[in-house]
Amino acid sequence: MSKIITVFIELMSATLEWLHTNLDGIIVSIVAAVILSLIHYIKNKPKEINELLKCKNFNDINWIDDLDKSLEIKNTMKRHFPEYTDYLLIQYGSSVESNNRLPQDYDFIVLMLGIPKNGKRYLHNKGTTSPDDVSSKRNINQVDIVYRDYLSFLYAASAGMPYENSVITTGKLLKGHIGYFQWLKNITKNQLYDRDFLIRRFEDKISIEKQEFQKYLSENQQFGHEKYYVIRAGYYYITSLLQLNHIKKFDKVIFQNDVVALSKVRMFYDDFKNDNIKNNYIHLVECLKRNNSVDDISIEDIKDTLHELENMEN
């Protein structure tokens, strides 16, 4: 035992002597390593969304790569949708259209390519609204990004859903295989939609959106979850009801332009005869378009709007 202690003391003494002799070199090495690490971090750190969008150049491949990193698409897919291996990044909405009214409003959709287990595909929008997502706390006033399964998106577009057809007609592919995006355009541009089939699809869609709204409403009341989730669910539910009312008035055969027009939700403002309810819906729409604050709409306003719609349908 004493020999082990003696060897340990000799080893420690030798180590201390070596450190004393080479102290300057060790300090220089540590400082150099820190500096190199900082340079690597700064060089590879994703740029702020605000900075990128102010200086956008959609034809600059470096800008697109920077945007892809800043939106944290690969990390989000690995975290939430690990079974998908590739994707299309598409920008759509007012920031793409010429003479846009809302140049600060940026909408992106990620169409994910892959074969999920058990055939379970993400059929509904997965908007980034939670605190750990890129477009919530720091960018909720500028950016909205949605993740969708490519084939489920294609099925919905082929059925005549307004949102999907609007993305196809107005969207701009920023990153991904252009053939997949062109396929969406080719399949839907000359397609005729059956009104009655679309009505049945909307009734199914509305049933799901009603359940989502009630779920978030219950969670807000019981657990104090964020009001934004209730507002977002209420927006989709109410808007689908309004769209369905218009679809019922269409001719038997519907063209793509007809369903795309339904995605321009401001057209529904005049559907309300009650000015207070009309203003409620206006505030709701502008809130989701990030022109108004979440505080500009209340949950009671959404309930009143739904009550008005029920009376309109009767």
Side-chain angles (χ1 to χ4, degrees):
M1 184 67 179
S2 60
K3 287 183 178 180
I4 295 175
I5 295 174
T6 301
V7 171
F8 178 75
I9 292 172
E10 289 175 353
L11 179 61
M12 289 298 297
S13 299
T15 302
L16 291 171
E17 184 177 350
W18 182 85
L19 288 172
H20 179 73
T21 303
N22 298 278
L23 184 60
D24 291 341
I26 293 172
I27 293 174
V28 170
S29 298
I30 293 173
V31 171
V34 171
I35 292 173
L36 288 174
S37 297
L38 286 172
I39 292 173
H40 178 77
Y41 172 77
I42 293 171
K43 184 178 179 180
N44 293 281
K45 179 179 179 291
K47 295 182 180 179
E48 289 292 330
I49 293 286
N50 296 350
E51 176 187 352
L52 283 169
L53 297 180
K54 286 179 182 177
C55 306
K56 65 180 183 296
N57 179 4
F58 297 143
N59 296 317
D60 183 351
I61 191 169
N62 293 323
W63 181 88
I64 293 174
D65 287 339
D66 286 339
L67 177 67
D68 188 57
K69 291 178 183 177
S70 295
L71 292 174
E72 300 178 14
I73 294 172
K74 290 181 180 178
N75 290 336
T76 301
M77 286 182 61
K78 180 184 285 188
R79 195 165 63 243
H80 296 296
F81 316 105
E83 298 166 54
Y84 293 89
T85 57
D86 203 357
Y87 60 91
L88 309 180
L89 173 60
I90 300 168
Q91 184 182 11
Y92 66 97
S94 58
S95 61
V96 176
E97 299 172 356
S98 58
N99 300 319
N100 60 77
R101 297 175 55 188
L102 303 169
Q104 82 283 7
D105 183 36
Y106 292 89
D107 295 294
F108 301 96
I109 185 169
V110 176
L111 296 183
M112 302 181 294
L113 303 169
I115 304 176
K117 295 178 182 177
N118 302 321
K120 180 182 178 182
R121 298 186 177 277
Y122 290 88
L123 300 177
H124 306 291
N125 293 352
K126 302 291 181 182
T128 51
T129 57
S130 62
D132 64 332
D133 285 316
V134 69
S135 72
S136 57
K137 297 302 182 185
R138 51 193 173 126
N139 294 308
I140 199 168
N141 292 325
Q142 266 201 317
V143 174
D144 189 28
I145 178 170
V146 168
Y147 291 80
R148 285 283 297 274
D149 174 273
Y150 177 86
L151 287 180
S152 76
F153 181 90
L154 171 61
Y155 298 154
S158 299
M161 290 296 167
Y163 169 79
E164 286 78 2
N165 278 276
S166 175
V167 169
I168 291 171
T169 57
T170 67
K172 180 180 178 64
L173 179 67
L174 297 182
K175 188 172 184 178
H177 300 290
I178 190 171
Y180 285 101
F181 189 52
Q182 194 60 47
W183 189 34
L184 293 174
K185 288 181 175 291
N186 292 342
I187 285 177
T188 58
K189 69 179 179 181
N190 294 319
Q191 184 171 335
L192 302 178
Y193 304 99
D194 180 82
R195 178 199 60 203
D196 296 333
F197 175 75
L198 185 56
I199 288 174
R200 291 194 296 272
R201 284 298 311 273
F202 252 85
E203 288 173 344
D204 293 338
K205 177 174 181 280
I206 287 170
S207 177
I208 294 171
E209 289 172 343
K210 181 178 181 179
Q211 292 176 13
E212 286 289 294
F213 172 71
Q214 291 174 339
K215 182 187 80 169
Y216 287 124
L217 180 61
S218 176
E219 291 176 353
N220 172 266
Q221 293 173 340
Q222 293 184 40
F223 310 112
H225 288 185
E226 283 193 34
K227 184 175 71 171
Y228 181 79
Y229 294 103
V230 184
I231 291 175
R232 187 183 181 99
Y235 165 80
Y236 286 128
Y237 179 26
I238 291 170
T239 301
S240 291
L241 288 171
L242 291 165
Q243 289 171 328
L244 178 58
N245 287 340
H246 280 258
I247 292 171
K248 289 177 178 178
K249 300 174 185 176
F250 283 163
D251 293 332
K252 174 65 176 173
V253 177
I254 306 172
F255 296 91
Q256 187 180 50
N257 289 340
D258 297 323
V259 293
V260 169
L262 295 177
S263 67
K264 310 294 184 183
V265 295
R266 290 188 176 94
M267 69 177 285
F268 302 128
Y269 290 170
D270 293 332
D271 287 4
F272 297 97
K273 297 178 181 179
N274 184 312
D275 287 340
N276 290 331
I277 302 299
K278 175 181 178 179
N279 288 331
N280 287 347
Y281 184 67
I282 290 174
H283 289 152
L284 179 60
V285 169
E286 299 305 325
C287 172
L288 266 294
K289 289 184 176 295
R290 296 174 293 284
N291 291 318
N292 289 349
S293 167
V294 173
D295 296 330
D296 290 337
I297 187 76
S298 72
I299 293 176
E300 289 303 317
D301 291 337
I302 295 176
K303 290 180 180 179
D304 291 344
T305 305
L306 285 169
H307 180 70
E308 178 77 6
L309 278 175
E310 290 170 358
N311 290 334
M312 285 171 57
E313 291 178 333
N314 294 332

